[in-house]
Structure formats: C-alpha cells, structure tokens
Amino acid sequence: MDSTSYCGRKLIGIFEDMNDAIDAASAGYRAIRSMRVEQREKLITSIRELARAEAPIMAALGVAETKMGRVDHKTAKHILVADKTPGTEDIVSAVKTGDCGLTLTEMAPFGVVGSITPSTNPSETVICNSIGMIAAGNGVVFNPHPNAIATSNYAVDLVNRACAAAGGPKVLVASVAKPTLDTANIMYKHSAIRLLVCTGGPGVVKAVLSSGKKAIGAGAGNPPVIVDNTADIAKASKDIIDGCTFDNNLPCIAEKEVFAFADIADELISGMLKNGAYLITREQADALAQIVLVDTKNPKTGIVKKTVNRDCVGRDAAVLLEKIGVKVGPEVRCIICETPFEHLFVQEELMMPILPIVRVNNIDEAIELAVKAEHGNRHTAHMHSKNIDNLTRFARAVETTIFVKNAPSYAGIGFGGEGHTTFTIAGPTGEGITSAKSFTRLRRCVMADNFRII
Ligand code: NAD
C-alpha cells in the first residue's frame, strides 16, 4: 500500500522529511490563527461531512492494511467520530469580575501539535484528534504507526481536502511518508512543536513523557468486568460480548477479562453462548496462549517477557480458533474460557476477541482481583449489577478514567451512551476523555479597577 497516494491521486500534506511536515503544519497554524471562530467551525463541519461520506473507505483501508478489526465496526467508529467529537463549542472563555475590575481567561491554541497515533484505531484517531486540535486553533503534524501509514495518511489528506474546500489553508495537518522512531524524535525536539499528544502503548507514552515538552499521554488499558448476582444476566451476557467483540476487541476500552460471581457464572456463560461466544477448555486456552503470546527479549535488560503476537491482534475469532484446530463459521465472534486469575489471558492486554472468565465468591474477592488485573493503568472498568453499594465500591477502588455500568464498553465513549467521543483517552496525564479544550493553553487578561457595570 502506498502512503503518499490513493488510486493515483497524490495525498495532500504528506512529506518525505518530518521537518518539512512541521513547516507545513506551522504555515497552516498561522493561516487559521487569523480566522474567525465561525470560519474555523466551517472547517470542522466540512471534516465531519467528508469523514462521514468516506467512513467505509477508511474502514476498508484500515482492515486491508493492518489485517486487524472489522470493516462494519470501523465504519461505525468513523461515523461516531464525525458526529460526536466536540468542535469549537468546547472552547469557552471565563470571566471574573470583582472590586478590582475584570479578568478574562481564554483557551488559546498551543501552535503546532505533534500527534503519535496507533495502529488499532488509525484513521479514527487522526480524524478525531484533527477535529479537536483544529477547533482549538492548532496546526497538527502526525507521526502515525508504521503498520497503518497508508490509512492514517489517507485521513490526513481527507482533513486537508475538507478544510481547503471550506476556505482553509491547503495544508493544515501534515504527516510523513515513512514514519519511524527517528521521525518521532525530530518531532519531540523541534522548537515549533509546543504540545505532544501520544495515543498508544506504554513504551511510546513513556518516550513522549520523557521529551521535556508538555505532553498528553493516552496509554494502555486492560479493562476488567465484574458481574455480580444482582445483574440482569441475559443483558450482561449480550452487552459483554457486544463490547468485547467491537472491532475485534481493538478499542483500548473493550472488555478484556470477566470476574463473575460463582452462583451466576453458568447462566452468564450460557447467555454468552447464545450471543456468538464459543467456549474452549482450559487445555485449549493454554494451547491458544502459546500462539497468541510470544516470548520477547528486552534488548536493554535481557529480560524475556510475554508480549502479544501481532499476527493475532484484532483477528476474527474463527481465525484464532483455527490456530488450535477448531473450525467455526463467522457466527462465532468471541472465544470464551474459564481460567484462574493468574492466566496470561487475564493478565495481558490481548486486543483479540478472547475473553477469560474467572469465578469469584463475593464482591470483596471480585474487586480485589479486578483491580489487580487492571494493573494500575486507571484506564477503563465495567460492572454489571443492580447493587448500588457494589457498583460504588468497585468504581472507587479501581479509579479508572472510564467506568461503565450495565452497558457494553463502547457506551463509555458515547456510542449508545451519553457524552462526547474520543479515541485518545488520557489517563496517565489526567485530561481524560480528550476534546478541543484539552489541546489549549489558558491565557489571562486583566483590566484593573474597571470594566464592571455594577
Ligand atoms: P503502539 O504502542 O505499538 O504504537 C503507538 C505509536 O507509537 C506508533 O505510532 C508507534 O510507532 C509509536 N512508538 C512506539 N514506541 C515508540 C517510541 N519509543 N518512540 C516513539 N514512537 C513510538 O500502539 P498500538 O499497538 O498501535 O496500539 C495499541 C496500544 O495503544 C494498546 O496498549 C492500547 O491500549 C493503546 N491505546 C490507548 C488508547 C487510549 O486512548 N488510551 C487508544 C488507542 C490505543
């Protein structure tokens, strides 16, 4: 796949050299600085319209290039981003008046934002971040994931086409033809980049937070789900499978392991089986774990650790089952298994439609194990229960950015739930469900002893 053209058409805003990409985004920033907010909102409207129209193209490109996820779900994700990412309405000024006059606080752009994007939601993240960052008045330069360059750069081109059609500069967001760790390093060090936004796993979040620049880090999760014996079990079974299998479990918020009260576990499993799950034995789970997780040696420390096999991330359940000799049809969308807490399926963030279920005896044990399995990421957790005390106890103990009660995980990013959407959930640095205001810096203007009307 070509990262600089699509069907013979040259993509706009893609450069060989990261320095040129930053220069182009800087020029774009200067151009929108002089625009009225009303005009900026027209650019956003145009991005929304084009993203909605070309959602199926980006979804198909993403699956073809990364071999991960599902076209129908990726299409839905792009439409969600187009519809529910906040625009300029998110940028709100504050005023304080008193005996000493008037103080105005405004949300100003940083300038050019450097954005690192993942392979799991590549064009979704480019479009979502572009809408928020442009609404805040910034230019953007992307260093996309090397495994999703063509898809990410298609989205960069889409944003530029949409902006130009609405009276914006020719290039407002930019990227490179061949993103590498070197191009990321140029971005970290370049004086024009005033804010870094990183959406990815722990390695890259750490790198960005060590850059010496203001950085927003959206890192890894391993969302646990607790199901207690007051839950609507039929609904919980369906919600969990729907959430866990959304885009083949690629979203960082998706259900990754279940802690089920022992007295409802059989009913929960049977409900899941009615909703497209396939139950494998403990032996089969161990065999599958040998395939979907591989030993990886840290080059610096020499320590060998299990990491996910990239060839298995985001694949269909049927493809994964075939690897252990089980043949099923496309109606099977999730692999479930009963495991102990220590199992790798519980401990590792697989990003595959594989869901381990651990039986627990009571709420104390459920909360203790679920908090441990979340590994202190403080990212996302879910619970199915009608017991308000249990729900509250778990939410307090797990301290996640997103906590979803009695719904599929995606309700937490505004898909069938209230609130805006984002594909950059900044737990480590605290911005949470990012939006335009996350990409601004506060500026104060003071008029002493005057400008009051009372
Ligand atoms: P990844 O961590 O492999 O890569 C993310 C980006 O970082 C890529 O562009 C990659 O090339 C780059 N990168 C990796 N190491 C780097 C370094 N040291 N310096 C500079 N760049 C570096 O991510 P992925 O596999 O595409 O995405 C999956 C991970 O991202 C999961 O852990 C998932 O939970 C997380 N994620 C989090 C969010 C969120 O909003 N919190 C959203 C999506 C994905």
Side-chain angles (χ1 to χ4, degrees):
M1 266 183 172
D2 187 355
S3 65
T4 59
S5 68
Y6 177 75
C7 292
R9 181 172 59 78
K10 193 171 175 341
L11 299 179
I12 303 164
I14 314 304
F15 297 83
E16 293 300 323
D17 187 330
M18 175 55 92
N19 291 297
D20 293 339
I22 294 172
D23 287 349
S26 300
Y29 162 58
R30 286 193 296 277
I32 60 162
R33 251 192 108 165
S34 56
M35 278 184 183
R36 294 162 61 87
V37 175
E38 189 187 6
Q39 178 62 36
R40 231 193 275 162
E41 187 55 33
K42 283 193 178 139
L43 306 187
I44 304 293
T45 303
S46 182
I47 298 170
R48 293 189 199 286
E49 285 167 2
L50 203 55
R52 224 175 276 127
E54 298 190 7
I57 299 176
M58 289 184 281
L61 265 177
V63 173
E65 184 178 23
T66 65
K67 316 273 184 300
M68 305 191 294
R70 295 176 45 136
V71 174
D72 52 347
H73 292 170
K74 280 198 189 291
T75 303
K77 283 161 78 185
H78 285 86
I79 290 170
L80 173 70
V81 163
D83 290 348
K84 293 191 85 172
T85 306
T88 55
E89 74 283 4
D90 203 42
I91 307 298
V92 185
S93 304
V95 167
K96 169 98 174 84
T97 63
D99 293 341
C100 298
L102 175 145
T103 292
L104 168 69
T105 306
E106 291 191 298
M107 295 180 177
F110 269 89
V112 182
V113 182
S115 176
I116 309 242
T117 51
S119 58
T120 46
N121 320 304
S123 39
E124 299 89 314
T125 309
V126 168
I127 307 271
C128 185
N129 282 1
S130 294
I131 291 176
M133 290 167 186
I134 293 169
N138 300 291
V140 195
V141 61
F142 289 95
N143 197 66
H145 197 290
N147 297 347
I149 317 175
T151 312
S152 309
N153 284 356
Y154 184 94
V156 168
D157 167 80
L158 181 149
V159 171
N160 286 323
R161 276 188 286 137
C163 287
K170 186 161 181 275
V171 176
L172 181 49
V173 299
S175 176
V176 284
K178 198 167 178 296
T180 59
L181 289 186
D182 290 339
T183 56
N185 276 319
I186 294 172
M187 182 196 254
Y188 297 166
K189 297 201 177 100
H190 199 290
S191 59
I193 303 290
R194 302 295 184 90
L195 168 67
L196 290 166
V197 177
C198 163
T199 316
V204 63
V205 169
K206 192 166 169 224
V208 166
L209 293 184
S210 316
S211 67
K213 291 206 168 156
K214 157 79 183 177
I216 294 177
N222 193 35
V225 194
I226 292 179
V227 186
D228 77 11
N229 56 3
T230 67
D232 177 339
I233 303 299
K235 181 177 185 312
S237 324
K238 179 172 188 314
D239 284 355
I240 294 170
I241 297 296
D242 284 349
C244 173
T245 56
F246 190 55
D247 208 15
N248 279 346
N249 201 254
L250 290 177
C252 50
I253 54 158
E255 293 83 348
K256 299 282 190 285
E257 62 278 338
V258 176
F259 297 93
F261 275 33
D263 52 352
I264 51 88
D266 288 339
E267 190 185 345
L268 184 72
I269 289 169
S270 121
M272 289 176 169
L273 294 174
K274 286 184 198 131
N275 281 286
Y278 184 92
L279 183 65
I280 57 172
T281 63
R282 175 64 199 277
E283 290 69 33
Q284 287 174 313
D286 290 345
L288 191 57
Q290 292 297 317
I291 296 165
V292 302
L293 290 155
V294 288
D295 287 330
T296 309
K297 193 171 179 180
N298 182 319
K300 282 186 194 149
T301 61
I303 296 171
V304 176
K305 193 182 170 298
K306 289 280 181 203
T307 56
V308 287
N309 178 350
R310 286 274 160 184
D311 289 339
C312 297
V313 172
R315 301 298 160 114
D316 291 346
V319 171
L320 298 173
L321 279 172
E322 201 168 346
K323 292 182 186 295
I324 52 165
V326 177
K327 283 208 187 315
V328 295
E331 69 286 355
V332 170
R333 49 185 182 136
C334 191
I335 303 167
I336 58 171
C337 48
E338 284 201 55
T339 69
F341 171 72
E342 296 73 23
H343 199 273
L344 285 167
F345 283 172
V346 176
Q347 301 301 324
E348 297 296 327
E349 185 200 23
L350 297 180
M351 295 178 286
M352 303 167 201
I354 297 176
L355 191 64
I357 299 160
V358 179
R359 284 180 196 248
V360 291
N361 293 310
N362 52 46
I363 190 66
D364 296 321
E365 189 186 1
I367 292 176
E368 188 194 334
L369 297 184
V371 169
K372 276 189 190 153
E374 212 273 327
H375 301 310
N377 295 318
R378 302 202 291 180
H379 192 297
T380 299
H382 312 283
M383 185 158 178
H384 294 263
S385 170
K386 288 187 180 156
N387 181 320
I388 292 173
D389 293 341
N390 287 353
L391 286 162
T392 308
R393 277 185 60 193
F394 183 34
R396 285 187 180 158
V398 75
E399 292 188 286
T400 46
T401 304
I402 298 180
F403 188 79
V404 179
K405 299 167 177 171
N406 300 324
S409 49
Y410 42 69
I413 53 165
F415 194 77
E418 284 303 321
H420 71 269
T421 201
T422 186
F423 278 83
T424 297
I425 299 149
T429 47
E431 291 77 7
I433 324 300
T434 55
S435 61
K437 63 170 166 293
S438 316
F439 313 122
T440 60
R441 51 192 281 264
L442 293 182
R443 295 178 58 192
R444 174 186 272 199
C445 181
V446 178
M447 171 69 100
D449 299 332
N450 235 320
F451 252 96
R452 298 189 72 205
I453 55 169
I454 54 169

